[in-house]
Amino acid sequence: MTFDILTRLPVELAYQILSKLSITDVVVCQSVSRQWYWITTDQSIWKQVYLEHERPYAIPRSALAPSLSTPSATSSSSSTSSLSGYRDWKQHCQSRVVLDRNWRQGDIQSLLTLRYHRGGIVRLRIKAGLLLSGDMFGQVAVWDTDSYACQCVVEAAVGPIQLLDFSAKAMVMTVISRSGVCRIWSIKTKELICSFSAYDVVCMTMDDDHLVLGGRDGRIQVVDFMTGAIVRTTTAFAEEILQDIYIQNDTLIIATGHHLRILSIDTLQILSTCPLPIAPSVRTFCSVFHIRSLILLTEEHLLHIEWKALYRSINKNFVIDQNKELPPNLLIPPRIQKTKVPPISTITSIAIGGNHPRVLTTNADRPSLHDTIRLCPAPRLNALADDSCPSDAPEATRTTTAAPSVAAAAMRLLESAEEETGSVLSSQVPEVAQYLETCGLKPSFMDVDEDVIVIGTSKGDIVVLNMLSLE
């Protein structure tokens, strides 16, 4: 004799119990009986389960309403979604599970090829529903990521493009050519807004309100992208080479070869800083920051360093808006994943993207795209969820600089981290697998979003790889 306690409980209590389960557990509960199935059809259960599934990633609720509700949409539009209105949360959960499985198995579901450029692709940028591609002749094509139709083409630079970014809200893009000229264009009208010399700029980032340039001399400049005027500038970081800049929660994340700093975007005051867990003698060829992850490329390894989210800071000048993307807590040891990489000379690009950061590399030692795209493992998430500053945090939480004990702990984590090789992306779809093996295209640049990878090739084609089926 069996006793079904769930169906005997008040329905509100049954909802609360089920909402504490994982997505896969709720799916199993659906098959227990007809009564359990009808209980699990309530959208409030699936919404709570979905939000709990995403909690370890500390994604702001304003960005959690996914575009996965319609399989044809890519996640690049998810950042502009809202939680208002009706959502099929069960469908979101199912799509999330399928997408995570496909990434874990490295299984590409479909692809399409975009053709317009006459020269090789040297820059790609995908975000907020748009894809911008720049080639060696200075052309920039703008693509809509829902249909991948080319919206416009701008003769944006003279010669190869070195840096490219854009604001989806203002519909403005910034292009820096290898000849050292920065040009700011209106995407809607294709008109040049302004231009100025940028021969010493080595890194750049742009959001809906700011354009930030990093110079070879170590200075950071905040620029008004509607006029080209320099609004604020920092003094140089002595004996350090800037490698990446990231805008987040009204702050700038500044990555150099051996340090990570958080600066106020309004005052350029240093709010927090920490040394990276690598020896000063180790040469870093590239570093890329995204959300709370830093990717470091050294001679032998690709390091994925991931910090916990910082919800509030004791530093009164460091005010954190929890409705925005949360910054990294640099005052406690990060988690580290170490991946063995092929020879540096064969790596053509490194990309990290998505709310659930995926790290990929491409190499050019093969005649086609087959076996050239490698997914690097991420640090385990089990200890990354944190709702506040830890109560046992070191005294350094009252300052802006990580304590020496934190840096030493990070070094020990790096030394003890197991070396992995990552996994090569492939496909179980015969047409996709055949294309990757026979297309004869070599990757030149790459970018990645939540469920899509875009690869520029030396022939000018752009290959869009979907990790979620469009059917």
Side-chain angles (χ1 to χ4, degrees):
M1 180 178 178
T2 59
F3 180 71
D4 187 353
I5 189 173
L6 191 68
T7 56
R8 294 174 181 268
L9 291 173
V11 65
E12 294 82 4
L13 188 55
Y15 288 166
Q16 290 187 28
I17 294 173
L18 291 171
S19 65
K20 302 298 183 182
L21 302 179
S22 66
I23 295 177
T24 52
D25 288 340
V26 176
V27 171
V28 171
C29 289
Q30 284 188 304
S31 60
V32 171
S33 67
R34 185 173 299 178
Q35 290 84 357
W36 281 43
Y37 177 84
W38 285 113
I39 292 174
T40 56
T41 58
D42 189 270
Q43 285 292 323
S44 64
I45 297 174
W46 292 102
K47 177 180 178 180
Q48 186 60 39
V49 168
Y50 182 87
L51 295 179
E52 183 63 22
H53 179 274
E54 301 296 280
R55 188 182 67 85
Y57 298 93
I59 303 169
R61 294 177 71 90
S62 59
L64 264 179
S67 60
L68 299 174
S69 54
T70 54
S72 61
T74 70
S75 66
S76 53
S77 61
S78 64
S79 60
T80 59
S81 302
S82 68
L83 289 173
S84 60
Y86 175 77
R87 303 280 176 179
D88 188 347
W89 291 99
K90 180 179 179 180
Q91 178 62 40
H92 296 340
C93 289
Q94 292 174 340
S95 299
R96 182 76 261 165
V97 170
V98 171
L99 181 59
D100 288 345
R101 180 197 64 199
N102 292 341
W103 274 113
R104 189 168 55 252
Q105 297 176 352
D107 187 9
I108 302 167
Q109 299 299 298
S110 63
L111 65 79
L112 67 154
T113 305
L114 311 179
R115 293 186 175 92
Y116 180 86
H117 292 278
R118 294 175 288 119
I121 304 299
V122 292
R123 278 295 180 268
L124 290 169
R125 192 73 172 97
I126 183 170
K127 63 180 180 180
L130 291 177
L131 165 65
L132 268 62
S133 55
D135 65 24
M136 62 183 300
F137 297 122
Q139 281 189 333
V140 175
V142 181
W143 311 82
D144 172 17
T145 59
D146 285 334
S147 62
Y148 285 102
C150 185
Q151 294 185 335
C152 67
V153 177
V154 181
E155 301 290 339
V158 178
I161 294 172
Q162 177 176 319
L163 298 171
L164 170 66
D165 208 344
F166 67 97
S167 163
K169 181 179 178 181
M171 291 298 283
V172 171
M173 68 176 175
T174 302
V175 178
I176 298 180
S177 63
R178 291 184 185 173
S179 59
V181 179
C182 177
R183 294 179 175 88
I184 303 176
W185 296 84
S186 168
I187 296 176
K188 285 185 177 180
T189 64
K190 298 195 292 186
E191 294 180 351
L192 179 65
I193 297 174
C194 61
S195 65
F196 51 88
S197 175
Y199 69 93
D200 63 342
V201 173
V202 294
C203 54
M204 173 185 74
T205 189
M206 191 175 186
D207 69 356
D208 292 335
D209 302 305
H210 307 92
L211 168 63
V212 185
L213 306 176
R216 189 173 287 106
D217 59 359
R219 290 188 302 163
I220 306 293
Q221 294 180 332
V222 180
V223 180
D224 181 348
F225 58 70
M226 298 308 296
T227 64
I230 297 175
V231 180
R232 289 174 293 279
T233 186
T234 66
T235 56
F237 295 112
E239 300 181 358
E240 293 190 64
I241 299 175
L242 294 178
Q243 296 195 354
D244 196 25
I245 307 173
Y246 187 83
I247 301 176
Q248 178 186 76
N249 211 315
D250 298 326
T251 67
L252 297 176
I253 312 293
I254 309 298
T256 64
H258 291 82
H259 284 84
L260 195 70
R261 295 177 176 88
I262 303 178
L263 278 64
S264 166
I265 201 168
D266 295 323
T267 65
L268 296 183
Q269 174 190 1
I270 295 178
L271 302 174
S272 187
T273 182
C274 75
L276 298 179
I278 54 174
S281 59
V282 175
R283 182 183 176 186
T284 57
F285 294 88
C286 173
S287 64
V288 183
F289 189 87
H290 178 72
I291 305 182
R292 287 172 298 280
S293 292
L294 179 68
I295 306 306
L296 278 177
L297 179 63
T298 67
E299 291 185 358
E300 297 183 352
H301 298 101
L302 186 144
L303 305 179
H304 185 169
I305 307 171
E306 189 163 17
W307 286 267
K308 291 183 180 181
L310 179 62
Y311 288 79
R312 63 179 183 270
S313 173
I314 297 176
N315 183 350
K316 64 179 182 179
N317 296 319
F318 194 176
V319 180
I320 300 170
D321 184 351
Q322 295 191 19
N323 292 316
K324 297 181 179 179
E325 189 176 280
L326 296 171
N329 188 346
L330 302 184
L331 305 179
I332 58 176
R335 297 190 64 84
I336 302 174
Q337 180 63 57
K338 183 165 58 177
T339 304
K340 182 70 175 178
V341 294
I344 295 293
S345 60
T346 67
I347 297 178
T348 57
S349 63
I350 298 173
I352 178 173
N355 287 331
H356 309 70
R358 318 288 182 181
V359 180
L360 298 106
T361 64
T362 57
N363 58 295
D365 58 352
R366 295 185 181 274
S368 190
L369 293 179
H370 181 64
D371 287 349
T372 64
I373 311 164
R374 184 173 296 275
L375 176 65
C376 302
R380 293 172 59 187
L381 269 173
N382 55 358
L384 285 177
D386 188 21
D387 292 333
S388 63
C389 290
S391 58
D392 58 346
E395 185 65 21
T397 55
R398 300 183 181 276
T399 71
T400 61
T401 306
S405 59
V406 175
M411 287 293 292
R412 289 194 297 271
L413 286 173
L414 176 60
E415 293 171 359
S416 62
E418 294 184 3
E419 181 181 274
E420 299 194 27
T421 58
S423 57
V424 176
L425 296 191
S426 58
S427 180
Q428 298 181 15
V429 181
E431 295 82 3
V432 176
Q434 182 179 10
Y435 178 89
L436 295 175
E437 192 164 356
T438 62
C439 65
L441 300 174
K442 288 190 175 183
S444 57
F445 202 81
M446 173 178 58
D447 202 2
V448 60
D449 207 343
E450 188 67 20
D451 55 4
V452 67
I453 306 165
V454 286
I455 299 175
T457 67
S458 56
K459 292 184 178 180
D461 292 354
I462 302 169
V463 181
V464 181
L465 305 176
N466 291 290
M467 301 303 292
L468 190 65
S469 176
L470 299 181
E471 298 177 355

